[in-house]
Amino acid sequence: MRSSPSPSAFGFRPLAGLAPPQARALWALSFVLPLALWCVVSYVPFVWHPMLRISDPGDVAWLAPGELAARADVERENEAVRARGGQPAVGTRANPVFLPAPHEVARALVTSFTTPPFRADEPWLHQSLWHSITVIFWGFLLSSLVGVPLGILCGALPGMARLTEPFIEFFRYLPAPAFGALAVAVLGIEDAPKIAIIFVGTFFQLVLVIANTTRRIDPALLEAAQTLGARPRHLLLRVVVPGVVTELYTDMRVLLGWAWTYLIVAELIGVSSGITFFINQQAKYRAYDRVFASIIVIGLCGLGTDLALGWLGHQLFPWLKTARRGWFSQALALTRRVSGGARGGRGGGSDSDSDSGNSDGAPEAAAKANQARVA
């Protein structure tokens, strides 16, 4: 039996495992490194800092205290002032207003939720964020309700794939924002065209990804079920779908990120709304610390959703190596045992029950074959 690869010292050996402490440390480091780079650019003057925040304008007429000016322009003007015998401008090196420091963004991240908007008719950050989440939810839900079954059918049935995938391959290269004007003309200017853009941007990719995942099912599972006399319907519902459900779940987590990437473009269609409207308004007020805070909130929402779905996947699929058996999986197992006992109590000895038992035994045989293959 082939032994599993041992964890490497730093996790850079191909296909090597990682010890849990190493995995957690590298996970944290992936956020610490960009933050450290941001801090260096913001707080170390000689790294960049192309601007100068004026503390004393001296004899330079066009400068004022507290103003940000390009350092090269101020130095050029100071040379002319010194040549005339005047007092040069003095200031401290600073970054442009569109690159706030981390502490300014952290402060804006708090004040955006606690300080009223600049105008009374503008939404708060949490209101804008919730509106965007609803657009993402409905767009991706509709895409999944249609795309997942169609993708499974395309992956399992060659005829269905031949009938639908050529057009889907063509359509997936069309940029979703190109349908913005048409979506507004058909669906109005409110949220419907935004949801439609999310749908168009994810549906066609989703079908192809799900179809390719379905095609990767272990043929041994299908052969074991066919040996036991499983019908085509049972092969699809009791072998194919359970055999790829974990990979489909992972695909859906990745595809949900695609829906978030279409959000900003979608919310510009029709009436601007949601987090996109909030970001654009803060940019008009030159409150770039709030712009950065809003972008970070979007990333936190996406990351939090992915982590929550990952935890839920561990509960739903406790047989995976990385799964942790928790209260959800235990409750689900209890429900299955109770429902299985109820069906067993109603069982009989008729021939039809025997026939159905043979076909229903396909998933059990598939599971045994899968266990033997893994072992």
Side-chain angles (χ1 to χ4, degrees):
M1 181 180 296
R2 185 178 60 182
S3 60
S4 59
S6 59
S8 62
F10 298 100
F12 297 118
R13 193 174 68 189
L15 302 180
L18 278 177
Q22 294 175 342
R24 288 191 293 267
L26 291 175
W27 188 92
L29 195 62
S30 68
F31 292 94
V32 171
L33 290 178
L35 179 60
L37 178 61
W38 186 12
C39 291
V40 168
V41 173
S42 298
Y43 299 127
V44 180
F46 57 82
V47 172
W48 188 38
H49 290 69
M51 310 296 290
L52 200 69
R53 187 172 296 278
I54 304 300
S55 57
D56 182 6
D59 293 334
V60 181
W62 54 273
L63 292 178
E67 181 182 357
L68 272 179
R71 188 156 49 91
D73 294 341
V74 174
E75 291 175 354
R76 186 165 48 250
E77 189 68 23
N78 281 343
E79 291 178 0
V81 170
R82 291 190 188 96
R84 298 193 303 266
Q87 180 182 357
V90 179
T92 57
R93 298 177 67 167
N95 278 330
V97 66
F98 56 80
L99 184 60
H103 74 277
E104 296 174 337
V105 175
R107 182 172 60 245
L109 192 60
V110 177
T111 57
S112 296
F113 289 99
T114 59
T115 305
F118 291 104
R119 294 171 52 185
D121 59 340
E122 293 179 354
W124 290 62
L125 175 58
H126 64 273
Q127 294 173 330
S128 302
L129 181 63
W130 178 250
H131 186 274
S132 298
I133 290 175
T134 57
V135 171
I136 289 286
F137 174 79
W138 289 112
F140 191 69
L141 176 65
L142 295 175
S143 175
S144 302
L145 289 177
V146 182
V148 171
L150 181 59
I152 293 175
L153 290 176
C154 290
L157 305 177
M160 178 64 71
R162 196 64 177 173
L163 178 64
T164 59
E165 285 192 2
F167 176 76
I168 293 176
E169 288 280 3
F170 159 77
F171 206 95
R172 75 186 181 98
Y173 288 102
L174 304 181
F179 297 91
L182 182 61
V184 170
V186 176
L187 302 173
I189 62 174
E190 297 299 332
D191 288 345
K194 301 173 176 57
I195 295 174
I197 294 302
I198 299 293
F199 179 91
V200 173
T202 57
F203 171 76
F204 300 97
Q205 316 287 347
L206 187 149
V207 172
L208 296 178
V209 170
I210 297 298
N212 289 332
T213 299
T214 304
R215 294 188 184 102
R216 292 199 299 267
I217 188 172
D218 188 354
L221 302 179
L222 299 174
E223 294 171 358
Q226 289 174 327
T227 301
L228 294 175
R231 300 186 182 93
R233 177 171 62 89
H234 292 104
L235 285 177
L236 180 63
L237 298 179
R238 295 177 177 269
V239 179
V240 174
V241 173
V244 299
V245 65
T246 56
E247 288 79 6
L248 295 183
Y249 188 84
T250 302
D251 290 341
M252 298 303 292
R253 288 174 57 187
V254 175
L255 291 164
L256 180 59
W258 291 6
W260 278 98
T261 61
Y262 281 104
L263 174 65
I264 299 299
V265 175
E267 288 186 331
L268 291 174
I269 295 173
V271 177
S272 182
S273 61
I275 196 69
T276 304
F277 175 79
F278 185 88
I279 291 175
N280 289 338
Q281 289 299 106
Q282 303 311 309
K284 291 178 182 178
Y285 301 140
R286 296 178 67 83
Y288 290 101
D289 52 349
R290 290 197 172 191
V291 172
F292 271 73
S294 304
I295 295 173
I296 290 175
V297 166
I298 294 175
L300 291 175
C301 288
L303 178 62
T305 303
D306 187 71
L307 293 177
L309 292 175
W311 173 87
L312 182 60
H314 294 156
Q315 301 292 326
L316 291 174
F317 314 117
W319 60 86
L320 295 178
K321 292 182 179 180
T322 58
R324 294 182 296 273
R325 188 170 178 82
W327 64 269
F328 188 89
S329 59
Q330 293 175 1
L332 189 61
L334 179 61
T335 304
R336 289 171 177 169
R337 286 198 298 268
V338 171
S339 62
R343 287 196 302 267
R346 296 194 306 267
S350 63
D351 294 337
S352 60
D353 291 340
S354 176
D355 293 339
S356 62
N358 289 337
S359 60
D360 290 348
E364 287 78 2
K368 292 179 180 178
N370 192 26
Q371 292 175 0
R373 180 178 58 84
V374 172

